Short mmCIF file of all heavy atoms in Angstrom, two decimals:
data_model
loop_
_atom_site.label_atom_id
_atom_site.label_comp_id
_atom_site.label_asym_id
_atom_site.label_seq_id
_atom_site.Cartn_x
_atom_site.Cartn_y
_atom_site.Cartn_z
N TYR U 213 -52.89 -43.41 65.55
CA TYR U 213 -53.87 -44.46 65.85
C TYR U 213 -53.60 -45.71 65.02
O TYR U 213 -53.59 -46.83 65.52
CB TYR U 213 -55.27 -43.91 65.60
CG TYR U 213 -56.27 -44.88 65.04
CD1 TYR U 213 -56.87 -45.84 65.83
CD2 TYR U 213 -56.61 -44.83 63.69
CE1 TYR U 213 -57.78 -46.73 65.30
CE2 TYR U 213 -57.52 -45.72 63.15
CZ TYR U 213 -58.10 -46.66 63.97
OH TYR U 213 -58.99 -47.54 63.43
N ARG U 214 -53.34 -45.53 63.70
CA ARG U 214 -53.07 -46.68 62.84
C ARG U 214 -51.77 -47.36 63.26
O ARG U 214 -51.69 -48.60 63.29
CB ARG U 214 -52.96 -46.22 61.39
CG ARG U 214 -54.25 -45.66 60.81
CD ARG U 214 -55.29 -46.72 60.60
NE ARG U 214 -54.90 -47.70 59.62
CZ ARG U 214 -55.65 -48.73 59.26
NH1 ARG U 214 -56.83 -48.91 59.84
NH2 ARG U 214 -55.24 -49.60 58.37
N ALA U 215 -50.75 -46.55 63.58
CA ALA U 215 -49.47 -47.13 63.96
C ALA U 215 -49.57 -47.93 65.25
O ALA U 215 -49.09 -49.06 65.34
CB ALA U 215 -48.42 -46.01 64.11
N VAL U 216 -50.22 -47.35 66.26
CA VAL U 216 -50.36 -48.04 67.55
C VAL U 216 -51.26 -49.25 67.42
O VAL U 216 -50.98 -50.32 67.97
CB VAL U 216 -50.89 -47.06 68.62
CG1 VAL U 216 -51.20 -47.79 69.91
CG2 VAL U 216 -49.88 -45.95 68.86
N LEU U 217 -52.35 -49.09 66.68
CA LEU U 217 -53.33 -50.18 66.56
C LEU U 217 -52.69 -51.43 65.99
O LEU U 217 -52.96 -52.55 66.45
CB LEU U 217 -54.48 -49.72 65.67
CG LEU U 217 -55.61 -50.73 65.46
CD1 LEU U 217 -56.33 -50.99 66.78
CD2 LEU U 217 -56.59 -50.21 64.42
N HIS U 218 -51.83 -51.28 64.99
CA HIS U 218 -51.25 -52.45 64.33
C HIS U 218 -49.89 -52.84 64.91
O HIS U 218 -49.32 -53.84 64.50
CB HIS U 218 -51.10 -52.17 62.83
CG HIS U 218 -52.41 -51.95 62.15
ND1 HIS U 218 -53.31 -52.97 61.92
CD2 HIS U 218 -52.99 -50.84 61.66
CE1 HIS U 218 -54.38 -52.49 61.31
NE2 HIS U 218 -54.22 -51.20 61.15
N ALA U 219 -49.38 -52.04 65.86
CA ALA U 219 -48.10 -52.38 66.46
C ALA U 219 -48.26 -53.20 67.73
O ALA U 219 -47.35 -53.96 68.09
CB ALA U 219 -47.31 -51.10 66.76
N VAL U 220 -49.36 -53.05 68.45
CA VAL U 220 -49.53 -53.78 69.70
C VAL U 220 -49.61 -55.28 69.44
O VAL U 220 -50.15 -55.72 68.42
CB VAL U 220 -50.79 -53.29 70.45
CG1 VAL U 220 -50.65 -51.86 70.89
CG2 VAL U 220 -52.03 -53.45 69.58
N ARG U 221 -49.09 -56.05 70.33
CA ARG U 221 -49.06 -57.50 70.17
C ARG U 221 -50.33 -58.16 70.67
O ARG U 221 -50.54 -59.35 70.44
CB ARG U 221 -47.85 -58.07 70.92
CG ARG U 221 -46.51 -57.54 70.39
CD ARG U 221 -45.34 -58.21 71.08
NE ARG U 221 -45.35 -59.64 70.86
CZ ARG U 221 -44.49 -60.49 71.42
NH1 ARG U 221 -43.55 -60.02 72.24
NH2 ARG U 221 -44.55 -61.78 71.19
N GLU U 222 -51.17 -57.43 71.37
CA GLU U 222 -52.43 -57.97 71.83
C GLU U 222 -53.52 -57.70 70.81
O GLU U 222 -53.48 -56.70 70.09
CB GLU U 222 -52.83 -57.35 73.18
CG GLU U 222 -51.93 -57.74 74.33
CD GLU U 222 -52.44 -57.21 75.65
OE1 GLU U 222 -53.36 -56.37 75.61
OE2 GLU U 222 -51.95 -57.64 76.69
N GLY U 223 -54.49 -58.59 70.73
CA GLY U 223 -55.64 -58.35 69.88
C GLY U 223 -56.55 -57.31 70.50
O GLY U 223 -56.75 -57.29 71.72
N LEU U 224 -57.08 -56.44 69.67
CA LEU U 224 -57.93 -55.35 70.15
C LEU U 224 -59.22 -55.34 69.35
O LEU U 224 -59.19 -55.33 68.11
CB LEU U 224 -57.21 -54.01 70.03
CG LEU U 224 -57.94 -52.78 70.57
CD1 LEU U 224 -58.14 -52.91 72.07
CD2 LEU U 224 -57.16 -51.52 70.25
N LEU U 225 -60.35 -55.31 70.06
CA LEU U 225 -61.66 -55.36 69.43
C LEU U 225 -62.54 -54.32 70.10
O LEU U 225 -62.64 -54.28 71.33
CB LEU U 225 -62.27 -56.76 69.61
CG LEU U 225 -63.41 -57.19 68.70
CD1 LEU U 225 -62.92 -57.34 67.28
CD2 LEU U 225 -63.99 -58.50 69.19
N LEU U 226 -63.17 -53.44 69.28
CA LEU U 226 -64.07 -52.42 69.81
C LEU U 226 -65.45 -52.64 69.19
O LEU U 226 -65.59 -52.69 67.97
CB LEU U 226 -63.56 -51.02 69.48
CG LEU U 226 -64.47 -49.85 69.90
CD1 LEU U 226 -64.63 -49.83 71.41
CD2 LEU U 226 -63.93 -48.53 69.40
N ILE U 227 -66.46 -52.77 70.04
CA ILE U 227 -67.83 -52.97 69.57
C ILE U 227 -68.71 -51.85 70.11
O ILE U 227 -68.43 -51.29 71.17
CB ILE U 227 -68.38 -54.35 69.99
CG1 ILE U 227 -68.39 -54.49 71.52
CG2 ILE U 227 -67.59 -55.47 69.36
CD1 ILE U 227 -69.02 -55.78 72.00
N ASP U 228 -69.79 -51.55 69.38
CA ASP U 228 -70.68 -50.48 69.80
C ASP U 228 -71.85 -51.03 70.60
O ASP U 228 -71.87 -52.21 70.97
CB ASP U 228 -71.18 -49.69 68.58
CG ASP U 228 -71.92 -50.57 67.58
OD1 ASP U 228 -72.34 -51.70 67.97
OD2 ASP U 228 -72.10 -50.15 66.42
N HIS U 229 -72.86 -50.17 70.84
CA HIS U 229 -74.00 -50.59 71.66
C HIS U 229 -74.84 -51.66 70.98
O HIS U 229 -75.57 -52.40 71.65
CB HIS U 229 -74.88 -49.37 71.98
CG HIS U 229 -74.22 -48.39 72.91
ND1 HIS U 229 -73.92 -48.69 74.22
CD2 HIS U 229 -73.80 -47.12 72.72
CE1 HIS U 229 -73.35 -47.65 74.80
NE2 HIS U 229 -73.26 -46.68 73.91
N ASP U 230 -74.75 -51.77 69.66
CA ASP U 230 -75.51 -52.78 68.92
C ASP U 230 -74.72 -54.06 68.73
O ASP U 230 -75.09 -54.90 67.90
CB ASP U 230 -75.94 -52.22 67.56
CG ASP U 230 -76.85 -51.02 67.69
OD1 ASP U 230 -77.64 -51.00 68.66
OD2 ASP U 230 -76.77 -50.11 66.84
N ASP U 231 -73.62 -54.20 69.47
CA ASP U 231 -72.75 -55.38 69.38
C ASP U 231 -72.17 -55.56 67.98
O ASP U 231 -71.95 -56.69 67.52
CB ASP U 231 -73.50 -56.66 69.81
CG ASP U 231 -73.92 -56.62 71.26
OD1 ASP U 231 -73.30 -55.87 72.02
OD2 ASP U 231 -74.89 -57.32 71.62
N LYS U 232 -71.94 -54.45 67.29
CA LYS U 232 -71.31 -54.51 65.97
C LYS U 232 -69.86 -54.07 66.09
O LYS U 232 -69.53 -53.14 66.82
CB LYS U 232 -72.05 -53.62 64.98
CG LYS U 232 -73.45 -54.13 64.64
CD LYS U 232 -74.12 -53.26 63.60
CE LYS U 232 -75.50 -53.82 63.24
NZ LYS U 232 -76.19 -52.98 62.23
N VAL U 233 -69.00 -54.76 65.33
CA VAL U 233 -67.57 -54.48 65.38
C VAL U 233 -67.30 -53.14 64.69
O VAL U 233 -67.68 -52.93 63.54
CB VAL U 233 -66.77 -55.60 64.70
CG1 VAL U 233 -65.28 -55.28 64.74
CG2 VAL U 233 -67.03 -56.93 65.40
N GLN U 234 -66.62 -52.23 65.40
CA GLN U 234 -66.27 -50.94 64.84
C GLN U 234 -64.78 -50.76 64.65
O GLN U 234 -64.35 -49.90 63.87
CB GLN U 234 -66.80 -49.81 65.73
CG GLN U 234 -68.30 -49.79 65.88
CD GLN U 234 -69.01 -49.59 64.56
OE1 GLN U 234 -68.51 -48.93 63.65
NE2 GLN U 234 -70.19 -50.19 64.41
N LEU U 235 -63.99 -51.57 65.32
CA LEU U 235 -62.54 -51.44 65.21
C LEU U 235 -61.91 -52.78 65.55
O LEU U 235 -62.33 -53.46 66.49
CB LEU U 235 -62.04 -50.35 66.15
CG LEU U 235 -60.55 -49.96 66.10
CD1 LEU U 235 -60.39 -48.49 66.43
CD2 LEU U 235 -59.74 -50.80 67.11
N VAL U 236 -60.89 -53.17 64.78
CA VAL U 236 -60.20 -54.44 65.04
C VAL U 236 -58.79 -54.31 64.47
O VAL U 236 -58.59 -53.71 63.41
CB VAL U 236 -60.96 -55.63 64.39
CG1 VAL U 236 -61.06 -55.47 62.89
CG2 VAL U 236 -60.32 -56.95 64.76
N ASN U 237 -57.80 -54.84 65.19
CA ASN U 237 -56.44 -54.78 64.67
C ASN U 237 -56.03 -56.13 64.08
O ASN U 237 -56.78 -57.10 64.10
CB ASN U 237 -55.47 -54.32 65.76
CG ASN U 237 -55.32 -55.34 66.88
OD1 ASN U 237 -56.06 -56.31 66.95
ND2 ASN U 237 -54.36 -55.12 67.76
N ASP U 238 -54.80 -56.17 63.54
CA ASP U 238 -54.34 -57.36 62.82
C ASP U 238 -54.27 -58.58 63.74
O ASP U 238 -54.59 -59.70 63.33
CB ASP U 238 -52.98 -57.09 62.19
CG ASP U 238 -53.04 -56.00 61.13
OD1 ASP U 238 -54.14 -55.78 60.60
OD2 ASP U 238 -52.00 -55.37 60.85
N GLU U 239 -53.80 -58.37 64.98
CA GLU U 239 -53.65 -59.50 65.88
C GLU U 239 -55.01 -60.11 66.23
O GLU U 239 -55.14 -61.34 66.32
CB GLU U 239 -52.92 -59.04 67.16
CG GLU U 239 -52.63 -60.15 68.16
CD GLU U 239 -51.65 -61.18 67.65
OE1 GLU U 239 -51.08 -60.99 66.55
OE2 GLU U 239 -51.44 -62.19 68.35
N ALA U 240 -56.02 -59.27 66.43
CA ALA U 240 -57.35 -59.79 66.72
C ALA U 240 -57.90 -60.56 65.52
O ALA U 240 -58.57 -61.60 65.67
CB ALA U 240 -58.30 -58.65 67.09
N ARG U 241 -57.64 -60.06 64.31
CA ARG U 241 -58.06 -60.80 63.11
C ARG U 241 -57.42 -62.18 63.06
O ARG U 241 -58.07 -63.16 62.70
CB ARG U 241 -57.70 -60.01 61.85
CG ARG U 241 -58.51 -58.74 61.63
CD ARG U 241 -58.03 -58.01 60.38
NE ARG U 241 -58.71 -56.75 60.18
CZ ARG U 241 -59.85 -56.59 59.52
NH1 ARG U 241 -60.44 -57.66 58.99
NH2 ARG U 241 -60.41 -55.41 59.37
N ARG U 242 -56.13 -62.24 63.43
CA ARG U 242 -55.43 -63.53 63.39
C ARG U 242 -55.94 -64.48 64.47
O ARG U 242 -56.22 -65.66 64.20
CB ARG U 242 -53.92 -63.29 63.58
CG ARG U 242 -53.09 -64.57 63.48
CD ARG U 242 -51.63 -64.29 63.80
NE ARG U 242 -51.43 -64.02 65.21
CZ ARG U 242 -51.28 -64.97 66.14
NH1 ARG U 242 -51.31 -66.25 65.80
NH2 ARG U 242 -51.09 -64.64 67.40
N LEU U 243 -56.08 -63.98 65.68
CA LEU U 243 -56.48 -64.85 66.78
C LEU U 243 -57.90 -65.37 66.62
O LEU U 243 -58.19 -66.52 66.96
CB LEU U 243 -56.35 -64.10 68.11
CG LEU U 243 -54.93 -63.70 68.53
CD1 LEU U 243 -54.97 -62.90 69.81
CD2 LEU U 243 -54.06 -64.94 68.70
N LEU U 244 -58.80 -64.52 66.11
CA LEU U 244 -60.21 -64.91 65.99
C LEU U 244 -60.57 -65.37 64.58
O LEU U 244 -61.72 -65.71 64.33
CB LEU U 244 -61.10 -63.73 66.39
CG LEU U 244 -60.94 -63.23 67.83
CD1 LEU U 244 -61.82 -62.02 68.08
CD2 LEU U 244 -61.27 -64.34 68.82
#
């Protein structure tokens, strides 16, 4: 999971039902 999450070139953001961020990769941090 860690390897794939930080290897993909697209930004990835996962939020829960309360609109809180639960998962984010390096590319999403950079883009946003």
Side-chain angles (χ1 to χ4, degrees):
Y213 144 77
R214 295 290 296 180
V216 173
L217 181 65
H218 297 288
V220 295
R221 299 184 60 184
E222 293 185 348
L224 184 63
L225 198 68
L226 176 62
I227 60 176
D228 59 17
H229 291 294
D230 298 326
D231 296 337
K232 292 183 178 179
V233 179
Q234 298 299 329
L235 185 148
V236 61
N237 67 351
D238 296 337
E239 183 66 6
R241 290 178 184 272
R242 183 185 72 84
L243 295 176
L244 299 177

